[in-house]
Amino acid sequence: MSQNYHYSRKYLIKKYVEKAEKIKDIPSVKNIEKDPDMPSYRTYKRRFGDLDKVKELKKVRDRFKNKNKIDRLICEFCVKNPRNCDRDVEECKKEADLFLEFQNDK
């Protein structure tokens, strides 16, 4: 889809948010460029400049920034060896939630 089309602001934002939701992360240049259903990263840069400053994207970008921080903290305080762990962080978060619930019930 990265041909020379004129995309509306609303469409560009919609595609970006959909991509973020799909990958559960802030889309990188590589994520955007590899997706044939998205306009090119260059299109986003020409249209918006710094994506961090796009008001309509702030909410989704902040949510995934916070999610990534939480994921890193979960791994950092892991009782297993976080450097060699191949577990899904979502499973670890479930265990952490159970632990916190147990601690709050005491």
Side-chain angles (χ1 to χ4, degrees), residues 5-79:
Y5 296 111
H6 178 73
Y7 301 105
S8 71
R9 180 179 182 90
K10 186 175 181 176
Y11 178 81
L12 290 169
I13 290 167
K14 177 180 172 261
K15 294 302 284 182
Y16 186 92
V17 170
E18 285 174 358
K19 184 67 174 179
E21 296 291 342
K22 181 178 180 182
I23 65 172
K24 297 186 182 345
D25 202 352
I26 298 169
S28 67
V29 174
K30 189 183 277 187
N31 294 139
I32 293 170
E33 290 298 327
K34 284 188 172 190
D35 190 332
D37 294 328
M38 281 195 77
S40 71
Y41 181 75
R42 187 172 180 193
T43 299
Y44 281 94
K45 287 298 279 184
R46 273 198 316 256
R47 187 64 181 268
F48 299 116
D50 186 354
L51 294 177
D52 280 334
K53 295 187 170 128
V54 179
K55 170 177 76 168
E56 296 93 337
L57 297 178
K58 183 171 178 16
K59 193 176 197 177
V60 74
R61 290 178 66 84
D62 286 350
R63 187 171 93 226
F64 287 112
K65 280 181 189 174
N66 290 336
K67 177 196 173 294
N68 292 339
K69 284 179 188 175
I70 291 167
D71 290 355
R72 281 193 302 276
L73 285 171
I74 291 287
C75 290
E76 187 177 318
F77 292 103
C78 181
V79 294

